[in-house]
Amino acid sequence: AQKVTQAQTEISVVEKEDVTLDCVYETRDTTYYLFWYKQPPSGELVFLIRRNSFDEQNEISGRYSWNFQKSTSSFNFTITASQVVDSAVYFCALSEAYSGGGADGLTFGKGTHLIIQP
Amino acid sequence: DVKVTQSSRYLVKRTGEKVFLECVQDMDHENMFWYRQDPGLGLRLIYFSYDVKMKEKGDIPEGYSVSREKKERFSLILESASTNQTSMYLCASSLAVVQFFGPGTRLTVL
C-alpha cells in the first residue's frame, strides 16, 4: 500500500523568509509519480509539479524548488522569499505506475497549511 | 485551457435524500475521479473511471455510486445521504498522469 506523510500540519513564517514543506512517501512500486498541489482559500487545487521516479533531478521554477531524494523517500518543496500570496494548503501526492488502459488515483498527504504573515 | 466544472459550489441536503453531484470536463480526458476532502484527513479517493461506462472503486466507496454515460461527464451519487457524508467533494480529470481539479462542491447533510 502506498502512503504519503506530511508531518507539518501548519507552518507560519514572516514574509520574505524561506520555507520548506516536507513530504515523505512509501510505495512498493519502482515506477511512480510524485506531485505537489496548492489549495488557496478559494478551494480549487492547483497543480504545481510532477516528478517521475526515474528523474531525481531537482527542479526550480521561479521562487519554487523541489528536492527529490529516493534514498530517503522524500520530495520536499521550498519557497524562497515567501510572499503573502503563497499562503495556502499544500498537498503532496503519489501515484503508482500508470497502467495502460487504466487510471490511477492519487494518494494524498494530509496537507500543510502555510501562513505567510506580512 | 484546462476546465473541470462542478454543478454546485454549495449544497444542503437532508438525511435520506438521493444526491447527485455532477462533474464535466472539456479536455477530452479519458480518466475522471471523485475525491472527498475532510479536515485532518486530506483527500481520499471515492471512485474513478477510465472510460465511458467503466468505474473502479477507490479507497472509500461505501455509500456512493457513480455514473459515466458520456466521456465528459462523471456523476457521483449518494443513494441515501447521511450526516457523515458532509464534506467537500472534488472532481478531477486526467489524460495520463497529471490530474486537474474542479472547484469543489461543499455538501452539508442535515
Side-chain angles (χ1 to χ4, degrees), chain A residues 33 35 37 39 42-45 47 50 91 95 98 101-106 108-110, chain B residues 9 31 33 35 37 40-43 45 48 50 90 95-103:
Chain A
Y33 300 90
F35 306 81
Y37 283 85
Q39 188 176 42
S42 61
E44 189 163 342
L45 265 79
F47 167 72
R50 179 198 85 182
F91 290 96
S95 173
Y98 180 80
D104 289 302
L106 295 173
F108 283 85
K110 294 182 180 179
Chain B
R9 288 302 304 267
N31 312 312
F33 307 81
Y35 296 85
Q37 181 179 9
L41 296 177
L43 282 82
L45 181 65
F48 62 98
Y50 55 86
L90 291 156
L95 183 59
V97 178
V98 178
Q99 295 185 21
F100 297 95
F101 285 81

Side-chain angles (χ1 to χ4, degrees), chain A residues 2-117:
Chain A
Q2 49 190 344
K3 184 179 178 182
V4 176
T5 301
Q6 294 179 255
Q8 304 149 310
T9 306
E10 184 173 290
I11 300 174
S12 181
V13 301
V14 177
E15 199 172 22
K16 297 184 183 175
E17 285 186 28
D18 298 347
V19 57
T20 295
L21 309 182
D22 297 332
C23 173
V24 174
Y25 63 91
E26 295 175 29
T27 177
R28 284 179 286 191
D29 263 21
T30 55
T31 303
Y32 52 88
Y33 300 90
L34 294 163
F35 306 81
W36 276 95
Y37 283 85
K38 174 182 180 180
Q39 188 176 42
S42 61
E44 189 163 342
L45 265 79
V46 177
F47 167 72
L48 295 178
I49 190 171
R50 179 198 85 182
R51 178 59 86 221
N52 75 47
S53 54
F54 295 114
D55 182 2
E56 282 194 76
Q57 276 196 329
N58 291 334
E59 178 147 346
I60 298 174
S61 176
R63 296 183 296 106
Y64 295 174
S65 62
W66 291 269
N67 181 275
F68 175 32
Q69 292 196 347
K70 286 179 78 171
S71 61
T72 55
S73 297
S74 65
F75 186 43
N76 296 338
F77 173 31
T78 297
I79 301 175
T80 303
S82 60
Q83 299 177 3
V84 172
V85 293
D86 296 326
S87 296
V89 180
Y90 290 86
F91 290 96
C92 181
L94 168 71
S95 173
E96 291 178 339
Y98 180 80
S99 48
D104 289 302
L106 295 173
T107 297
F108 283 85
K110 294 182 180 179
T112 297
H113 184 199
L114 178 62
I115 301 167
I116 310 297
Q117 299 181 37

